[in-house]
Amino acid sequence: MQQLLRIFFTNGSFFTFVALQLLSLYCIISFNSPQKAIAAETWSIRAGSVRSATETARSYLDLEQENEALRQEVARLRQQSPESLYATERIVDSFRDETFVQRYNFLTAHVVNRSPYRPNNTLIIDRGKNLDVRPGQGIVSPTGIVGIVDQVTGNHARVLSVLHQSIRISAGLASGAFGTLRWDGRDPRYVTVTDLADYIEVQAGDTIFSTGYSNVFPTHQVIGFVVDSEVQPGTGSQNLTVALSNKPVEESNVFVVQDLFKDELSDLATE
């Protein structure tokens, strides 16, 4: 309180000047019709500008909720796609029963942190054990693959990016031929598909998909496009240089792929 009084007494002349100016302005506006009309119109214009700015700010703040709603709708539509369903159809005599059950769920997530760019890139998402996120689950974006969950806590998970030298993903062509996708730690725009038989005809521009064999990503998830192929002498195989369909180091809105059959398939693989 003493500080406030000291400031007032020290700058008393200034505060008195400001008060008199405001009083004069009030008297001019209150007792002169033309000035009163001008002030009213000016206030109306300024108030409209302030209101417009406020509405713009409010709309901007609502964008996050709208984006999350759209992403949840995309996840729902992904879950209804043929690649996310498991066919249990059966044909008995002339009777055909076409039945599908859910195989993959898609959980929306945000990238909340990522490692500096390096040969082994990782990122952190805001989903964890509380939403049944587990190590080994795939992470995708609307335009491509992002990585594989490595470690999980209650509310977060660490993801090994597709741009991580230890990642291996089953990938192939629309014809059914497939190999192993990996990154060499250099250019983040390109990955390599190895172990593809050398007699398979491949053209530049062919699309590379996930095969679903690794139980990490659904089948036919677009990964990228063939840029070049090179036969490996003496191996009977060829390597494909593939341009990624997305930019994994820039992704912020992603989906966790939850394979509902993974435990069952893992049990069969270990027997």
Side-chain angles (χ1 to χ4, degrees), residues 94-259:
S94 60
F95 173 74
R96 184 187 186 102
D97 178 17
E98 294 185 351
T99 305
F100 295 88
V101 296
Q102 192 72 40
R103 174 168 179 182
Y104 292 100
N105 283 337
F106 291 85
L107 176 67
T108 61
H110 296 278
V111 176
V112 296
N113 197 0
R114 66 178 76 244
S115 65
Y117 177 71
R118 56 192 182 188
N120 293 317
N121 296 282
T122 61
L123 51 97
I124 305 296
I125 60 172
D126 61 349
R127 296 290 186 264
K129 292 179 182 177
N130 59 335
L131 292 174
D132 200 29
V133 175
R134 306 180 189 178
Q137 292 177 336
I139 304 296
V140 300
S141 73
T143 54
I145 62 175
V146 177
I148 300 174
V149 175
D150 174 47
Q151 297 180 10
V152 182
T153 62
N155 299 297
H156 294 85
R158 188 180 79 164
V159 177
L160 301 185
S161 171
V162 67
L163 303 179
H164 193 291
Q165 293 182 103
S166 69
I167 289 293
R168 299 291 185 270
I169 298 170
S170 179
L173 299 158
S175 64
F178 67 95
T180 302
L181 180 144
R182 61 181 180 82
W183 186 52
D184 61 11
R186 291 181 288 184
D187 194 325
R189 295 173 298 173
Y190 302 100
V191 293
T192 303
V193 173
T194 63
D195 306 321
L196 188 73
D198 59 5
Y199 60 82
I200 302 296
E201 294 186 5
V202 183
Q203 302 294 327
D206 284 352
T207 304
I208 297 296
F209 303 92
S210 58
T211 64
Y213 295 154
S214 59
N215 304 322
V216 176
F217 301 100
T219 57
H220 294 101
Q221 171 74 48
V222 174
I223 296 175
F225 308 94
V226 175
V227 174
D228 191 19
S229 62
E230 181 180 357
V231 174
Q232 305 300 300
T235 66
S237 66
Q238 59 180 314
N239 289 353
L240 307 181
T241 300
V242 177
L244 290 170
S245 60
N246 63 337
K247 296 179 179 180
V249 294
E250 298 178 6
E251 297 287 5
S252 57
N253 296 314
V254 297
F255 302 94
V256 181
V257 181
Q258 298 176 316
D259 185 353

